[in-house]
Amino acid sequence: MKFLKLGPYGLPILLVIAALLLPAAAYAQGEGYYTVSQGATKVQITPLSGPGDAASFYNMTNSQSNTGLEEANTAVMFLYRNTATGALSLFVILSGPNGTAGTVTFSLSGVPAGTGFEVQDDGTVDFRETWELTPPTGTVSWAWDEGKSDGMVLGPLGSDFSLTIYPQFTSGITAVKFLSGDRTAPQKIDLNLTDPIIIAGSPNEPPVAAFSTAPDKPHINEPVTFDASASHDPDGSIASYEWDFDGDGVFDQKTTDPVVTHTYAVAGTKSVTLRVTDNDGMTGRTTNSVEISALAVKVKRTISTVAALPGTTFKVVVRIESETDLAGVGLQESLPVGWKIKPIENAGAAFKRATVQWVFVDQVKAGTTKVITYEVTVPTSDQLVATTLPACFKITGTFQAMTPSLSIPVEGDSDIEVTDALTIKTAIAHLVPRVGDDLDDTIDLRLSQKIDPNQLSRAIEMWRDDEPVPWTQGATIDLETMKELAAYAYTCTEVDNPLPAVPQANITAVRTIATPVPC
Ligand SMILES: [Ca+2]
Ligand SMILES: [Ca+2]
Ligand SMILES: [Ca+2]
Ligand SMILES: [Ca+2]
């Protein structure tokens, strides 16, 4: 075999020939998009096709069609394309051999301009029939005898139309079938005898929307990836993707990138709709439901006091409880500038002082609790010189995991007031009672916010003797305050929380308190 040798103009000439051939090739591939619909049913159809014109395919002989597709007492309809010219026609064939006699009337609307009857079976000889067509409307009525058939071919339809048939099957028809695909073995779509039949064509095929979701079991506060890469346009390309993440019918995001992420704050079943638009402006959509689980991770901070004096130290506990296996876990706490941190318990995590970060190198297993404890020292008065006391500061934090991917704020205590004088409640809750008469009471803000029996006993002495409470700038305990302190002690309530609505004990007679129940 010899290779074709191209002269100096050979390649350009071949390209021109290829360019001339291209429209025909493109036409063969992009033959448009056709549907038949009736009521809620809408089905994509492929026109039957053949090399001859519609009339020759109808093949009328003795006032009967001879397509091979006739069925007794059945209205058979289909689109037919002449592959030689590309012309498209609508066939209607009513009954066939072995059928009973019948009469049928069709009203038509949406008939494209320039469309006419290509076959009239057998209006030219059957005086019982009516044939009227003035696009866009028309009316046809047929009458045939036992064992006979009637029908028509309407065309050419062009490539962009929506034609409606309002059928009135008076007699002789018991089934309606729309054919699609291969003319030797077509698919048969069953229609009903009463509702309007809409046959539509479009030169542009609509895009098909499809998307997947990851991870498999997403949680709240975890970014969910929606991937619409599986969407496609059979005869073009996808120009944009629109997402309704919450099923309210309003699209929340529009992109040209098929991959988006969305994070849900509330658990539940979400109805997610994707609408894709192709390069010709046609749309396709799909809806999937996505189950968002409540986050099985709780990260809560407890601060040992609501108020601190300059230069004092308090305690912070962060509890991490997870019902899910977590990997790549980190905690970051953010302290006011200049406040010093001392880690006490790192729960197996590595601590980085410069950024106040903890990283767990191992997995945090489902059902486990990790407790991170650290102490914080408030700057001294000298260091706080520009601050007017009392002043409120905050400790905030973020808990993160790689698998599942999540980032949540640390809940719980956050505020801390720096002040010159504690409230009596706060002072008593952190009181370290003196041992013996020659020592002073001290305050340790690292203690819990609950009032223990020893603290309560010492408070009773202070109330009885009108002794000033340390770190309160000389405040003394009156009867109302004493009853409140006793109530906090008896109910084991932290002093930064309100007392329970229903007291667990009668606490009016404070004088009788001897040994409070330990919390
Ligand atoms: Ca007839
Ligand atoms: Ca006939
Ligand atoms: Ca398209
Ligand atoms: Ca929405």
Side-chain angles (χ1 to χ4, degrees):
M1 175 179 172
K2 268 187 169 177
F3 285 101
L4 181 69
K5 277 199 171 157
L6 297 174
Y9 304 105
L11 189 60
I13 287 167
L14 278 184
L15 287 175
V16 167
I17 291 168
L20 288 172
L21 288 172
L22 257 179
Y27 173 78
Q29 279 178 349
E31 287 180 335
Y33 178 75
Y34 304 95
T35 56
V36 62
S37 15
Q38 187 179 48
T41 307
K42 185 173 188 176
V43 182
Q44 185 184 351
I45 48 171
T46 303
L48 278 52
S49 62
D53 66 17
S56 65
F57 186 63
Y58 195 90
N59 193 16
M60 187 155 71
T61 316
N62 291 331
S63 289
Q64 319 292 327
S65 63
N66 286 282
T67 62
L69 299 167
E70 291 75 16
E71 286 189 43
N73 301 114
T74 301
V76 172
M77 304 180 195
F78 55 89
L79 292 174
Y80 173 82
R81 183 187 298 287
N82 175 348
T83 52
T85 63
L88 190 73
S89 305
L90 172 65
F91 274 61
V92 175
I93 298 171
L94 301 159
S95 197
N98 307 317
T100 55
T103 56
V104 165
T105 300
F106 279 5
S107 293
L108 306 168
S109 72
V111 180
T115 297
F117 295 118
E118 295 178 311
V119 174
Q120 284 178 268
D121 178 3
D122 40 3
T124 51
V125 296
D126 192 337
F127 64 90
R128 297 171 296 180
E129 299 185 356
T130 310
W131 293 76
E132 290 169 9
L133 185 63
T134 312
T137 59
T139 306
V140 189
S141 64
W142 291 271
W144 65 92
D145 301 322
E146 189 176 342
K148 301 288 188 179
S149 69
D150 273 344
M152 71 168 179
V153 177
L154 207 56
L157 293 169
S159 60
D160 198 356
F161 61 89
S162 179
L163 189 158
T164 305
I165 296 171
Y166 302 87
Q168 204 183 325
F169 296 109
T170 321
S171 61
I173 294 294
T174 54
V176 182
K177 294 180 181 176
F178 208 100
L179 312 189
S180 169
D182 184 348
R183 69 188 160 125
T184 61
Q187 178 200 353
K188 296 181 179 180
I189 298 147
D190 289 317
L191 302 179
N192 69 49
L193 276 71
T194 48
D195 293 322
I197 300 162
I198 301 164
I199 302 136
S202 161
N204 177 18
E205 205 164 332
V208 179
F211 69 90
S212 61
T213 308
D216 278 352
K217 292 176 181 174
H219 294 94
I220 58 167
N221 299 326
E222 175 184 13
V224 183
T225 300
F226 296 95
D227 186 345
S229 302
S231 303
H232 66 281
D233 184 24
D235 63 351
S237 56
I238 306 252
S240 67
Y241 304 84
E242 288 169 282
W243 299 91
D244 176 9
F245 294 116
D246 51 7
D248 66 353
V250 177
F251 288 97
D252 309 305
Q253 195 175 350
K254 182 177 182 176
T255 62
T256 53
D257 187 337
V259 181
V260 296
T261 62
H262 183 76
T263 304
Y264 292 92
V266 179
T269 305
K270 313 293 175 179
S271 170
V272 179
T273 297
L274 164 68
R275 180 169 71 184
V276 294
T277 304
D278 73 10
N279 55 317
D280 285 311
M282 274 194 108
T283 59
R285 63 163 67 202
T286 187
T287 300
N288 294 345
S289 69
V290 179
E291 187 68 36
I292 304 293
S293 309
L295 196 64
V297 181
K298 266 204 158 53
V299 184
K300 195 175 176 191
R301 183 191 303 103
T302 308
I303 301 178
S304 64
T305 184
V306 291
L309 270 56
T312 58
T313 298
F314 59 89
K315 189 168 83 173
V316 180
V317 176
V318 179
R319 289 177 71 88
I320 301 158
E321 291 177 38
S322 180
E323 291 168 28
T324 312
D325 285 347
L326 302 174
V329 175
L331 170 71
Q332 174 155 27
E333 290 277 83
S334 176
L335 301 175
V337 175
W339 294 34
K340 289 209 162 50
I341 180 166
K342 179 183 171 191
I344 302 297
E345 174 53 58
N346 291 331
F351 174 66
K352 183 174 178 180
R353 185 180 302 273
T355 49
V356 195
Q357 282 172 316
W358 288 262
V359 172
F360 290 88
V361 283
D362 295 329
Q363 222 184 18
V364 174
K365 287 297 221 178
T368 59
T369 299
K370 301 282 185 187
V371 181
I372 284 178
T373 305
Y374 61 91
E375 290 178 358
V376 177
T377 301
V378 182
T380 61
S381 298
D382 297 349
Q383 293 164 322
L384 285 169
V385 70
T387 309
T388 307
L389 301 184
C392 190
F393 293 88
K394 273 186 190 299
I395 298 176
T396 58
T398 307
F399 179 82
Q400 291 175 316
M402 296 295 284
T403 313
S405 168
L406 58 91
S407 177
I408 53 171
V410 178
E411 297 171 39
D413 295 341
S414 176
D415 293 350
I416 178 106
E417 186 187 53
V418 177
T419 177
D420 290 326
L422 299 181
T423 63
I424 289 170
K425 271 195 307 189
T426 299
I428 295 298
H430 298 97
L431 185 75
V432 182
R434 65 189 181 191
V435 183
D437 284 348
D438 47 345
L439 293 166
D440 286 335
D441 295 301
T442 55
I443 298 278
D444 184 349
L445 294 177
R446 296 172 299 179
L447 299 178
S448 88
Q449 304 241 66
K450 289 175 181 172
I451 297 174
D452 71 25
N454 290 335
Q455 291 167 333
L456 185 65
S457 300
R458 182 71 186 101
I460 290 169
E461 285 174 23
M462 290 175 171
W463 162 67
R464 193 184 55 211
D465 300 341
D466 285 329
E467 260 186 82
V469 179
W471 294 19
T472 61
Q473 299 221 352
T476 54
I477 302 171
D478 60 15
L479 179 62
E480 278 308 304
T481 307
M482 190 61 244
K483 293 196 306 196
E484 196 186 358
L485 294 173
Y488 272 103
Y490 261 83
T491 57
C492 289
T493 305
E494 298 186 335
V495 293
D496 58 334
N497 289 334
L499 279 166
V502 180
Q504 289 164 340
N506 181 346
I507 44 82
T508 46
V510 257
R511 280 170 198 273
T512 65
I513 292 170
T515 48
V517 183
C519 294

